Amino acid sequence: MVYKILFVDTIDLLSDFENRYFPLWPGYLIAGLKKFDPDQSYEFGYVKTLSVPIIKNFKPDVVVISSVSQNFERAKQFAKLAKESDIFVIIGGIHISFLPTTLTEHMDVGIIGEGEKTFSELINILSRTDIYSKNVIKNIKGICYYEQGQLIITDKQEILKDSEIPHPFRMLVGSRKHDYIFSSRGCPFKCVFCSTCRYWGSTRWLSPEFIIEEIYELMKNDVKIISFYDDLFIGNKPRLKEIADLIDQKGINKKIQFTCSARANLIDDETIGYLKKMNVVAVGLGLESGNQRILRYLKGENIGVEDNKKAVCLLHNANIQVNASFIIGSPDETIEEMLDTYNFIKNNKLSFTEIFLLVPFPGTPIWDLAKDRGLVSDNINWDVLNSNFEKNMKSAIILSTKLTRKEIIKIYKKFRRLRFYKAIIALPKSPLKIDALQMIIFFLNRFRKNTKLFYAKNIDDDSISDRAAL
Ligand code: B12
């Protein structure tokens, strides 16, 4: 019997940013099924939004939803819709993993943390069991569900060894000219606002050979730029050297441009040498603040504004584009301290910059702080965690004790003007112009393409197509 799995995203259909890349979570879960439960036949669908016509058309056995916190309201809505058609609902991703208590009555099972193993154990049972009962799933680690009104959370699932992490199955959704790849899971640093470094458990660095295999896979699809979306790509220097050597030996650097993430105090001449060898054309830094006290508060003791300045300089001099993100609105940050950040952006050779308001993501010390102050709970409307301040100026949680919402909006707009000005100057020379083109295409297509159902028949099928435009 063929088992039909419908993967459902919860992204904002109107946000160009959230739609810029195809997601990899369905690809990793499918790869997990192939690895841990290879004998079953499946049909897969992927949609960015769930609707009744999609359910009727695809007729899934199970609806599988992923959600970050700010999109959890949509996740709840989709779970309800699927349940109304009497379909089994699984939810996973970072939100439910940190806050299993937010599982709703319409979600049958929540999967906590890394998904591949737990998901395949659950699907293994569901796809072979005619009558579902809670008894059959209670021995699976890393899940949560309700039993007689009580939330059950089973023991923690072991994380995968680095050698067990599979290549994602990319055929379901396809690829783009600027695509992305993961070469590690986790991050050894613990920035106070970051949930992901607390999510993946210990950092696992995938082998250089494994990464090259995946790059070749993307090259088959005519990719031109590959971004390493790791939390910290350059965190392991010996491995970085090996990756650079292999990319160079195989001549991949003649065909592909790369971008990656980095941490300022790990940038030195040696690292830059490896990045150049690989043909890295842009680096993203979380510089966070131009003020020493705030920077230490956000990122810890071992980094300073001088490290940030030096990293920007070294990268710029090596002709690598430097993009950076910053956070304003720390609890006791003064306006003068925010202006230090403004001046840092103004006076340093940065191309594209992002300004975020400090958001209390579940799982972080900032969440705990906001909870202690009564600003968040398990029952909030999750839209308020939207990290795009542009979209929720009126409802975002303000952690500042020094500035009012009005004052924060005013200074944010000042940053926004600077950001815009920098971007206009950077764009013509930027290797990431390709994103601007994608943004325009997205804008023109945003209503039509977003309801498409992507379809794959079984794991090895590479003739995947958008089966239906509903
Ligand atoms: C790449 C990335 C993006 C890409 C996403 C590309 C795409 N279309 O999916 C872009 C740049 C577009 C993006 C956008 C956003 N992102 Co982002 N992003 C990341 C990043 C760096 C990696 C995510 C990823 O693809 N990982 C690889 C996949 C395989 O991991 P995964 O999605 O977590 O899935 C695994 C498990 O979580 C689990 N799983 C996930 N879903 C499900 C579902 C089921 C049913 C099961 C069983 C398992 C399961 O199994 C998977 C395999 O192990 C993470 C940080 C990180 N390292 O995780 C932040 C992160 C997820 N992003 C974050 C945020 C806030 C956003 C935005 C809201 C930002 C914004 N301003 O709009 C949007 C929301 C987009 C969305 N997906 O809803 C936060 C989420 C925080 C939170 N607690 O909510 C993170 C954690 C970064 C952080 N600041 O800490 N992001």
mmCIF file of all heavy atoms in Angstrom, residues 11 17-18 21 23 25 28-29 64-66 68-71 92-94 111 114-116 119 180 182 185 195-196 199-200 229 231 361 387, ligand 1:
data_model
loop_
_atom_site.group_PDB
_atom_site.id
_atom_site.type_symbol
_atom_site.label_atom_id
_atom_site.label_comp_id
_atom_site.label_asym_id
_atom_site.label_seq_id
_atom_site.Cartn_x
_atom_site.Cartn_y
_atom_site.Cartn_z
ATOM 1 N N ILE A 11 4.845 29.298 6.129
ATOM 2 C CA ILE A 11 5.454 30.597 5.841
ATOM 3 C C ILE A 11 4.410 31.624 5.389
ATOM 4 O O ILE A 11 3.344 31.263 4.925
ATOM 5 C CB ILE A 11 6.566 30.479 4.768
ATOM 6 C CG1 ILE A 11 6.062 29.728 3.555
ATOM 7 C CG2 ILE A 11 7.789 29.835 5.345
ATOM 8 C CD1 ILE A 11 7.111 29.512 2.503
ATOM 9 N N PHE A 17 11.056 37.396 1.625
ATOM 10 C CA PHE A 17 12.148 36.794 2.386
ATOM 11 C C PHE A 17 11.865 35.324 2.725
ATOM 12 O O PHE A 17 12.692 34.452 2.519
ATOM 13 C CB PHE A 17 12.374 37.614 3.659
ATOM 14 C CG PHE A 17 13.478 37.093 4.510
ATOM 15 C CD1 PHE A 17 14.796 37.206 4.091
ATOM 16 C CD2 PHE A 17 13.220 36.475 5.724
ATOM 17 C CE1 PHE A 17 15.835 36.717 4.867
ATOM 18 C CE2 PHE A 17 14.254 35.980 6.508
ATOM 19 C CZ PHE A 17 15.556 36.106 6.079
ATOM 20 N N GLU A 18 10.661 35.053 3.210
ATOM 21 C CA GLU A 18 10.340 33.688 3.617
ATOM 22 C C GLU A 18 10.169 32.747 2.423
ATOM 23 O O GLU A 18 10.191 31.537 2.566
ATOM 24 C CB GLU A 18 9.070 33.668 4.488
ATOM 25 C CG GLU A 18 9.266 34.363 5.814
ATOM 26 C CD GLU A 18 8.138 34.122 6.793
ATOM 27 O OE1 GLU A 18 7.468 33.086 6.712
ATOM 28 O OE2 GLU A 18 7.933 34.996 7.663
ATOM 29 N N TYR A 21 13.884 30.841 -0.696
ATOM 30 C CA TYR A 21 14.455 29.516 -0.989
ATOM 31 C C TYR A 21 13.393 28.457 -0.773
ATOM 32 O O TYR A 21 12.433 28.664 -0.040
ATOM 33 C CB TYR A 21 15.606 29.194 -0.034
ATOM 34 C CG TYR A 21 16.653 30.253 0.027
ATOM 35 C CD1 TYR A 21 16.696 31.149 1.084
ATOM 36 C CD2 TYR A 21 17.611 30.365 -0.971
ATOM 37 C CE1 TYR A 21 17.663 32.137 1.145
ATOM 38 C CE2 TYR A 21 18.577 31.346 -0.920
ATOM 39 C CZ TYR A 21 18.593 32.237 0.140
ATOM 40 O OH TYR A 21 19.539 33.208 0.196
ATOM 41 N N PRO A 23 12.308 25.081 1.093
ATOM 42 C CA PRO A 23 12.718 24.592 2.411
ATOM 43 C C PRO A 23 13.429 23.247 2.307
ATOM 44 O O PRO A 23 13.217 22.498 1.350
ATOM 45 C CB PRO A 23 11.385 24.413 3.126
ATOM 46 C CG PRO A 23 10.455 24.052 2.037
ATOM 47 C CD PRO A 23 10.882 24.838 0.834
ATOM 48 N N TRP A 25 13.482 21.106 5.183
ATOM 49 C CA TRP A 25 12.993 20.153 6.193
ATOM 50 C C TRP A 25 12.254 18.961 5.582
ATOM 51 O O TRP A 25 12.501 17.827 6.020
ATOM 52 C CB TRP A 25 12.191 20.837 7.314
ATOM 53 C CG TRP A 25 10.905 21.492 6.881
ATOM 54 C CD1 TRP A 25 10.743 22.756 6.432
ATOM 55 C CD2 TRP A 25 9.607 20.891 6.845
ATOM 56 N NE1 TRP A 25 9.425 22.992 6.108
ATOM 57 C CE2 TRP A 25 8.704 21.873 6.356
ATOM 58 C CE3 TRP A 25 9.114 19.631 7.178
ATOM 59 C CZ2 TRP A 25 7.347 21.617 6.189
ATOM 60 C CZ3 TRP A 25 7.755 19.381 7.009
ATOM 61 C CH2 TRP A 25 6.886 20.368 6.510
ATOM 62 N N TYR A 28 14.987 16.613 4.305
ATOM 63 C CA TYR A 28 15.690 15.844 5.342
ATOM 64 C C TYR A 28 14.803 14.739 5.921
ATOM 65 O O TYR A 28 15.276 13.636 6.212
ATOM 66 C CB TYR A 28 16.167 16.774 6.470
ATOM 67 C CG TYR A 28 17.492 17.438 6.150
ATOM 68 C CD1 TYR A 28 17.564 18.770 5.790
ATOM 69 C CD2 TYR A 28 18.690 16.717 6.196
ATOM 70 C CE1 TYR A 28 18.773 19.388 5.488
ATOM 71 C CE2 TYR A 28 19.905 17.319 5.895
ATOM 72 C CZ TYR A 28 19.940 18.657 5.539
ATOM 73 O OH TYR A 28 21.139 19.249 5.233
ATOM 74 N N LEU A 29 13.502 15.025 6.062
ATOM 75 C CA LEU A 29 12.612 13.993 6.629
ATOM 76 C C LEU A 29 12.454 12.829 5.639
ATOM 77 O O LEU A 29 12.449 11.660 6.037
ATOM 78 C CB LEU A 29 11.251 14.587 6.987
ATOM 79 C CG LEU A 29 11.251 15.634 8.108
ATOM 80 C CD1 LEU A 29 9.839 16.127 8.383
ATOM 81 C CD2 LEU A 29 11.866 15.086 9.398
ATOM 82 N N VAL A 64 1.809 16.797 7.593
ATOM 83 C CA VAL A 64 3.032 16.997 8.385
ATOM 84 C C VAL A 64 3.391 18.480 8.323
ATOM 85 O O VAL A 64 3.730 18.991 7.259
ATOM 86 C CB VAL A 64 4.160 16.132 7.775
ATOM 87 C CG1 VAL A 64 5.473 16.397 8.463
ATOM 88 C CG2 VAL A 64 3.793 14.666 7.856
ATOM 89 N N ILE A 65 3.297 19.153 9.463
ATOM 90 C CA ILE A 65 3.451 20.623 9.469
ATOM 91 C C ILE A 65 4.743 21.027 10.176
ATOM 92 O O ILE A 65 5.124 20.424 11.185
ATOM 93 C CB ILE A 65 2.264 21.280 10.217
ATOM 94 C CG1 ILE A 65 0.936 20.829 9.617
ATOM 95 C CG2 ILE A 65 2.366 22.804 10.195
ATOM 96 C CD1 ILE A 65 -0.295 21.259 10.417
ATOM 97 N N SER A 66 5.430 22.039 9.632
ATOM 98 C CA SER A 66 6.616 22.593 10.307
ATOM 99 C C SER A 66 6.342 24.056 10.630
ATOM 100 O O SER A 66 5.758 24.776 9.831
ATOM 101 C CB SER A 66 7.827 22.498 9.372
ATOM 102 O OG SER A 66 8.949 23.073 10.005
ATOM 103 N N VAL A 68 8.021 27.696 12.758
ATOM 104 C CA VAL A 68 8.777 28.494 13.719
ATOM 105 C C VAL A 68 7.733 29.249 14.561
ATOM 106 O O VAL A 68 6.548 29.242 14.228
ATOM 107 C CB VAL A 68 9.763 29.474 13.029
ATOM 108 C CG1 VAL A 68 10.777 28.734 12.191
ATOM 109 C CG2 VAL A 68 9.025 30.496 12.170
ATOM 110 N N SER A 69 8.175 29.895 15.624
ATOM 111 C CA SER A 69 7.201 30.473 16.565
ATOM 112 C C SER A 69 6.294 31.505 15.918
ATOM 113 O O SER A 69 5.078 31.496 16.127
ATOM 114 C CB SER A 69 7.935 31.099 17.753
ATOM 115 O OG SER A 69 8.619 30.081 18.437
ATOM 116 N N GLN A 70 6.890 32.390 15.109
ATOM 117 C CA GLN A 70 6.062 33.487 14.591
ATOM 118 C C GLN A 70 5.006 33.006 13.608
ATOM 119 O O GLN A 70 4.085 33.744 13.289
ATOM 120 C CB GLN A 70 6.929 34.559 13.959
ATOM 121 C CG GLN A 70 7.533 34.183 12.627
ATOM 122 C CD GLN A 70 8.230 35.387 11.984
ATOM 123 O OE1 GLN A 70 8.838 36.192 12.665
ATOM 124 N NE2 GLN A 70 8.143 35.499 10.683
ATOM 125 N N ASN A 71 5.121 31.782 13.135
ATOM 126 C CA ASN A 71 4.126 31.254 12.196
ATOM 127 C C ASN A 71 3.202 30.219 12.832
ATOM 128 O O ASN A 71 2.475 29.515 12.144
ATOM 129 C CB ASN A 71 4.835 30.644 10.979
ATOM 130 C CG ASN A 71 5.558 31.704 10.174
ATOM 131 O OD1 ASN A 71 5.243 32.882 10.287
ATOM 132 N ND2 ASN A 71 6.539 31.312 9.374
ATOM 133 N N GLY A 92 6.123 19.552 13.739
ATOM 134 C CA GLY A 92 7.522 19.546 14.199
ATOM 135 C C GLY A 92 8.126 20.906 13.983
ATOM 136 O O GLY A 92 7.446 21.852 13.571
ATOM 137 N N GLY A 93 9.410 21.022 14.268
ATOM 138 C CA GLY A 93 10.105 22.295 14.094
ATOM 139 C C GLY A 93 10.440 22.917 15.440
ATOM 140 O O GLY A 93 10.095 22.395 16.496
ATOM 141 N N ILE A 94 11.079 24.076 15.354
ATOM 142 C CA ILE A 94 11.690 24.659 16.552
ATOM 143 C C ILE A 94 10.651 25.113 17.578
ATOM 144 O O ILE A 94 10.872 25.021 18.780
ATOM 145 C CB ILE A 94 12.650 25.804 16.143
ATOM 146 C CG1 ILE A 94 13.569 26.182 17.285
ATOM 147 C CG2 ILE A 94 11.918 27.010 15.589
ATOM 148 C CD1 ILE A 94 14.888 26.758 16.852
ATOM 149 N N ILE A 111 6.685 16.453 17.248
ATOM 150 C CA ILE A 111 8.019 15.831 17.258
ATOM 151 C C ILE A 111 9.016 16.853 17.771
ATOM 152 O O ILE A 111 9.076 17.989 17.284
ATOM 153 C CB ILE A 111 8.375 15.301 15.857
ATOM 154 C CG1 ILE A 111 7.479 14.089 15.604
ATOM 155 C CG2 ILE A 111 9.862 14.947 15.763
ATOM 156 C CD1 ILE A 111 7.838 13.228 14.445
ATOM 157 N N GLU A 114 15.507 17.363 16.368
ATOM 158 C CA GLU A 114 15.936 16.803 15.083
ATOM 159 C C GLU A 114 14.935 15.746 14.621
ATOM 160 O O GLU A 114 14.581 14.843 15.384
ATOM 161 C CB GLU A 114 17.302 16.160 15.332
ATOM 162 C CG GLU A 114 18.077 15.837 14.110
ATOM 163 C CD GLU A 114 19.527 15.550 14.489
ATOM 164 O OE1 GLU A 114 19.762 14.583 15.238
ATOM 165 O OE2 GLU A 114 20.402 16.293 14.036
ATOM 166 N N GLY A 115 14.513 15.844 13.337
ATOM 167 C CA GLY A 115 13.345 15.063 12.949
ATOM 168 C C GLY A 115 13.561 13.697 12.325
ATOM 169 O O GLY A 115 12.691 12.829 12.436
ATOM 170 N N GLU A 116 14.693 13.480 11.647
ATOM 171 C CA GLU A 116 14.803 12.324 10.749
ATOM 172 C C GLU A 116 14.439 10.991 11.415
ATOM 173 O O GLU A 116 13.630 10.226 10.905
ATOM 174 C CB GLU A 116 16.221 12.208 10.169
ATOM 175 C CG GLU A 116 16.605 13.273 9.156
ATOM 176 C CD GLU A 116 17.144 14.542 9.784
ATOM 177 O OE1 GLU A 116 17.030 14.697 11.023
ATOM 178 O OE2 GLU A 116 17.684 15.387 9.046
ATOM 179 N N PHE A 119 10.740 10.880 13.145
ATOM 180 C CA PHE A 119 9.702 10.901 12.124
ATOM 181 C C PHE A 119 9.596 9.539 11.445
ATOM 182 O O PHE A 119 8.499 9.010 11.251
ATOM 183 C CB PHE A 119 10.031 11.987 11.095
ATOM 184 C CG PHE A 119 9.008 12.142 10.007
ATOM 185 C CD1 PHE A 119 7.740 12.614 10.276
ATOM 186 C CD2 PHE A 119 9.326 11.823 8.686
ATOM 187 C CE1 PHE A 119 6.799 12.773 9.258
ATOM 188 C CE2 PHE A 119 8.395 11.971 7.669
ATOM 189 C CZ PHE A 119 7.124 12.452 7.956
ATOM 190 N N TYR A 180 21.035 26.728 -1.181
ATOM 191 C CA TYR A 180 21.766 26.666 0.084
ATOM 192 C C TYR A 180 21.964 25.241 0.562
ATOM 193 O O TYR A 180 21.308 24.298 0.113
ATOM 194 C CB TYR A 180 21.100 27.528 1.157
ATOM 195 C CG TYR A 180 19.729 27.055 1.605
ATOM 196 C CD1 TYR A 180 19.521 26.579 2.895
ATOM 197 C CD2 TYR A 180 18.631 27.098 0.749
ATOM 198 C CE1 TYR A 180 18.265 26.160 3.327
ATOM 199 C CE2 TYR A 180 17.388 26.680 1.165
ATOM 200 C CZ TYR A 180 17.201 26.220 2.449
ATOM 201 O OH TYR A 180 15.959 25.804 2.848
ATOM 202 N N PHE A 182 23.666 22.775 4.110
ATOM 203 C CA PHE A 182 24.137 22.744 5.506
ATOM 204 C C PHE A 182 25.337 21.824 5.617
ATOM 205 O O PHE A 182 25.287 20.690 5.152
ATOM 206 C CB PHE A 182 23.046 22.244 6.445
ATOM 207 C CG PHE A 182 21.950 23.245 6.605
ATOM 208 C CD1 PHE A 182 20.832 23.199 5.801
ATOM 209 C CD2 PHE A 182 22.054 24.273 7.526
ATOM 210 C CE1 PHE A 182 19.835 24.136 5.909
ATOM 211 C CE2 PHE A 182 21.059 25.230 7.655
ATOM 212 C CZ PHE A 182 19.949 25.161 6.840
ATOM 213 N N ARG A 185 25.527 20.914 12.014
ATOM 214 C CA ARG A 185 24.315 21.161 12.807
ATOM 215 C C ARG A 185 24.738 21.649 14.180
ATOM 216 O O ARG A 185 25.526 20.992 14.849
ATOM 217 C CB ARG A 185 23.477 19.888 12.947
ATOM 218 C CG ARG A 185 22.542 19.724 11.803
ATOM 219 C CD ARG A 185 21.521 18.631 11.986
ATOM 220 N NE ARG A 185 20.820 18.475 10.706
ATOM 221 C CZ ARG A 185 19.976 17.520 10.445
ATOM 222 N NH1 ARG A 185 19.675 16.618 11.357
ATOM 223 N NH2 ARG A 185 19.398 17.447 9.260
ATOM 224 N N SER A 195 17.997 30.875 19.547
ATOM 225 C CA SER A 195 17.398 29.610 19.968
ATOM 226 C C SER A 195 18.069 28.425 19.284
ATOM 227 O O SER A 195 18.113 27.333 19.833
ATOM 228 C CB SER A 195 15.908 29.612 19.666
ATOM 229 O OG SER A 195 15.666 29.927 18.322
ATOM 230 N N THR A 196 18.628 28.664 18.107
ATOM 231 C CA THR A 196 19.111 27.494 17.364
ATOM 232 C C THR A 196 20.325 26.825 18.008
ATOM 233 O O THR A 196 20.452 25.614 17.981
ATOM 234 C CB THR A 196 19.293 27.834 15.856
ATOM 235 O OG1 THR A 196 20.133 26.884 15.274
ATOM 236 C CG2 THR A 196 19.887 29.167 15.623
ATOM 237 N N TYR A 199 19.142 24.348 20.288
ATOM 238 C CA TYR A 199 18.182 23.415 19.701
ATOM 239 C C TYR A 199 18.831 22.103 19.252
ATOM 240 O O TYR A 199 18.306 21.026 19.513
ATOM 241 C CB TYR A 199 17.528 24.105 18.497
ATOM 242 C CG TYR A 199 16.513 23.281 17.748
ATOM 243 C CD1 TYR A 199 15.376 22.812 18.377
ATOM 244 C CD2 TYR A 199 16.697 22.979 16.394
ATOM 245 C CE1 TYR A 199 14.436 22.077 17.690
ATOM 246 C CE2 TYR A 199 15.755 22.241 15.698
ATOM 247 C CZ TYR A 199 14.628 21.793 16.346
ATOM 248 O OH TYR A 199 13.704 21.063 15.675
ATOM 249 N N TRP A 200 19.965 22.218 18.584
ATOM 250 C CA TRP A 200 20.517 21.046 17.890
ATOM 251 C C TRP A 200 21.367 20.137 18.755
ATOM 252 O O TRP A 200 21.848 19.116 18.290
ATOM 253 C CB TRP A 200 21.344 21.501 16.694
ATOM 254 C CG TRP A 200 20.522 22.093 15.577
ATOM 255 C CD1 TRP A 200 20.426 23.409 15.258
ATOM 256 C CD2 TRP A 200 19.695 21.392 14.635
ATOM 257 N NE1 TRP A 200 19.584 23.578 14.179
ATOM 258 C CE2 TRP A 200 19.126 22.349 13.778
ATOM 259 C CE3 TRP A 200 19.377 20.040 14.440
ATOM 260 C CZ2 TRP A 200 18.261 22.002 12.747
ATOM 261 C CZ3 TRP A 200 18.515 19.705 13.405
ATOM 262 C CH2 TRP A 200 17.962 20.679 12.579
ATOM 263 N N TYR A 229 24.322 27.763 4.897
ATOM 264 C CA TYR A 229 23.420 28.374 5.867
ATOM 265 C C TYR A 229 23.664 27.878 7.286
ATOM 266 O O TYR A 229 22.811 28.066 8.177
ATOM 267 C CB TYR A 229 21.955 28.172 5.457
ATOM 268 C CG TYR A 229 21.316 29.472 5.021
ATOM 269 C CD1 TYR A 229 20.707 29.628 3.792
ATOM 270 C CD2 TYR A 229 21.360 30.572 5.882
ATOM 271 C CE1 TYR A 229 20.159 30.832 3.412
ATOM 272 C CE2 TYR A 229 20.821 31.774 5.505
ATOM 273 C CZ TYR A 229 20.225 31.903 4.268
ATOM 274 O OH TYR A 229 19.684 33.100 3.898
ATOM 275 N N ASP A 231 24.847 27.597 11.101
ATOM 276 C CA ASP A 231 24.866 28.651 12.117
ATOM 277 C C ASP A 231 26.254 29.283 12.177
ATOM 278 O O ASP A 231 26.399 30.464 12.412
ATOM 279 C CB ASP A 231 24.475 28.078 13.482
ATOM 280 C CG ASP A 231 23.003 27.689 13.490
ATOM 281 O OD1 ASP A 231 22.222 28.391 12.838
ATOM 282 O OD2 ASP A 231 22.660 26.673 14.106
ATOM 283 N N PHE A 361 12.749 34.693 21.559
ATOM 284 C CA PHE A 361 12.442 33.383 20.984
ATOM 285 C C PHE A 361 12.365 32.336 22.097
ATOM 286 O O PHE A 361 13.242 32.295 22.977
ATOM 287 C CB PHE A 361 13.531 32.949 19.996
ATOM 288 C CG PHE A 361 13.503 33.693 18.693
ATOM 289 C CD1 PHE A 361 14.669 34.179 18.133
ATOM 290 C CD2 PHE A 361 12.317 33.897 18.010
ATOM 291 C CE1 PHE A 361 14.662 34.862 16.930
ATOM 292 C CE2 PHE A 361 12.288 34.580 16.796
ATOM 293 C CZ PHE A 361 13.463 35.062 16.261
ATOM 294 N N SER A 387 9.736 38.477 13.671
ATOM 295 C CA SER A 387 11.031 39.144 13.849
ATOM 296 C C SER A 387 11.261 40.234 12.803
ATOM 297 O O SER A 387 12.282 40.900 12.832
ATOM 298 C CB SER A 387 12.158 38.112 13.808
ATOM 299 O OG SER A 387 12.047 37.366 12.627
HETATM 300 C C1 B12 B 1 17.823 28.725 6.511
HETATM 301 C C2 B12 B 1 16.961 29.476 7.506
HETATM 302 C C3 B12 B 1 16.011 30.299 6.989
HETATM 303 C C4 B12 B 1 15.676 30.380 5.516
HETATM 304 C C5 B12 B 1 14.540 29.347 5.315
HETATM 305 C C6 B12 B 1 14.535 28.668 4.001
HETATM 306 C C7 B12 B 1 13.231 27.913 3.911
HETATM 307 N N1 B12 B 1 12.440 28.257 2.955
HETATM 308 O O1 B12 B 1 12.921 27.082 4.741
HETATM 309 C C8 B12 B 1 15.134 31.814 5.440
HETATM 310 C C9 B12 B 1 16.287 32.764 5.283
HETATM 311 C C10 B12 B 1 14.125 32.098 4.344
HETATM 312 C C11 B12 B 1 14.550 31.915 6.854
HETATM 313 C C12 B12 B 1 13.455 32.606 7.163
HETATM 314 C C13 B12 B 1 13.002 32.713 8.464
HETATM 315 N N2 B12 B 1 13.624 32.319 9.579
HETATM 316 CO CO1 B12 B 1 15.097 31.148 9.610
HETATM 317 N N3 B12 B 1 16.481 30.006 9.797
HETATM 318 C C14 B12 B 1 17.147 29.352 8.914
HETATM 319 C C15 B12 B 1 18.175 28.469 9.620
HETATM 320 C C16 B12 B 1 19.551 29.128 9.520
HETATM 321 C C17 B12 B 1 18.202 27.042 9.109
HETATM 322 C C18 B12 B 1 16.825 26.415 8.923
HETATM 323 C C19 B12 B 1 16.939 25.149 8.139
HETATM 324 O O2 B12 B 1 16.561 25.075 6.983
HETATM 325 N N4 B12 B 1 17.544 24.138 8.727
HETATM 326 C C20 B12 B 1 17.696 22.836 8.127
HETATM 327 C C21 B12 B 1 16.437 22.086 8.366
HETATM 328 C C22 B12 B 1 16.504 20.666 7.965
HETATM 329 O O3 B12 B 1 16.230 22.185 9.759
HETATM 330 P P1 B12 B 1 14.805 22.465 10.331
HETATM 331 O O4 B12 B 1 13.992 23.265 9.397
HETATM 332 O O5 B12 B 1 14.939 22.948 11.709
HETATM 333 O O6 B12 B 1 14.192 20.977 10.325
HETATM 334 C C23 B12 B 1 14.727 19.931 11.122
HETATM 335 C C24 B12 B 1 14.115 19.857 12.524
HETATM 336 O O7 B12 B 1 13.806 21.095 13.074
HETATM 337 C C25 B12 B 1 12.916 18.990 12.358
HETATM 338 N N5 B12 B 1 11.693 19.541 11.816
HETATM 339 C C26 B12 B 1 11.397 20.758 11.340
HETATM 340 N N6 B12 B 1 10.138 20.819 10.978
HETATM 341 C C27 B12 B 1 9.598 19.631 11.175
HETATM 342 C C28 B12 B 1 8.307 19.156 10.973
HETATM 343 C C29 B12 B 1 8.014 17.843 11.313
HETATM 344 C C30 B12 B 1 6.613 17.353 11.174
HETATM 345 C C31 B12 B 1 9.018 17.005 11.839
HETATM 346 C C32 B12 B 1 8.705 15.637 12.153
HETATM 347 C C33 B12 B 1 10.296 17.470 12.046
HETATM 348 C C34 B12 B 1 10.573 18.786 11.722
HETATM 349 O O8 B12 B 1 13.398 18.019 11.438
HETATM 350 C C35 B12 B 1 14.285 18.627 10.482
HETATM 351 C C36 B12 B 1 15.408 17.656 10.232
HETATM 352 O O9 B12 B 1 16.106 17.355 11.394
HETATM 353 C C37 B12 B 1 17.626 28.446 11.088
HETATM 354 C C38 B12 B 1 18.654 28.231 12.166
HETATM 355 C C39 B12 B 1 19.004 26.755 12.233
HETATM 356 N N7 B12 B 1 20.242 26.436 12.142
HETATM 357 O O10 B12 B 1 18.159 25.887 12.346
HETATM 358 C C40 B12 B 1 16.894 29.766 11.180
HETATM 359 C C41 B12 B 1 15.659 29.875 12.063
HETATM 360 C C42 B12 B 1 14.822 28.627 11.910
HETATM 361 N N8 B12 B 1 14.935 30.974 11.474
HETATM 362 C C43 B12 B 1 14.315 31.706 12.327
HETATM 363 C C44 B12 B 1 13.445 32.755 11.971
HETATM 364 C C45 B12 B 1 12.941 33.624 13.100
HETATM 365 C C46 B12 B 1 13.094 32.954 10.645
HETATM 366 C C47 B12 B 1 12.091 33.971 10.142
HETATM 367 C C48 B12 B 1 10.864 34.104 10.979
HETATM 368 C C49 B12 B 1 12.840 35.280 9.941
HETATM 369 C C50 B12 B 1 12.059 36.443 9.419
HETATM 370 N N9 B12 B 1 12.473 37.610 9.829
HETATM 371 O O11 B12 B 1 11.141 36.351 8.656
HETATM 372 C C51 B12 B 1 11.732 33.388 8.775
HETATM 373 C C52 B12 B 1 10.629 32.321 8.889
HETATM 374 C C53 B12 B 1 10.664 31.304 7.771
HETATM 375 C C54 B12 B 1 9.945 30.004 8.063
HETATM 376 N N10 B12 B 1 10.527 28.897 7.708
HETATM 377 O O12 B12 B 1 8.865 29.965 8.575
HETATM 378 C C55 B12 B 1 14.596 31.284 13.744
HETATM 379 C C56 B12 B 1 13.381 30.634 14.413
HETATM 380 C C57 B12 B 1 13.256 31.041 15.857
HETATM 381 C C58 B12 B 1 11.991 30.593 16.486
HETATM 382 N N11 B12 B 1 12.088 30.014 17.648
HETATM 383 O O13 B12 B 1 10.926 30.769 15.973
HETATM 384 C C59 B12 B 1 15.846 30.342 13.557
HETATM 385 C C60 B12 B 1 15.904 29.175 14.513
HETATM 386 C C61 B12 B 1 17.123 31.215 13.695
HETATM 387 C C62 B12 B 1 17.228 31.904 15.044
HETATM 388 N N12 B12 B 1 17.131 33.200 15.038
HETATM 389 O O14 B12 B 1 17.398 31.372 16.105
HETATM 390 N N13 B12 B 1 15.241 31.126 7.718
#
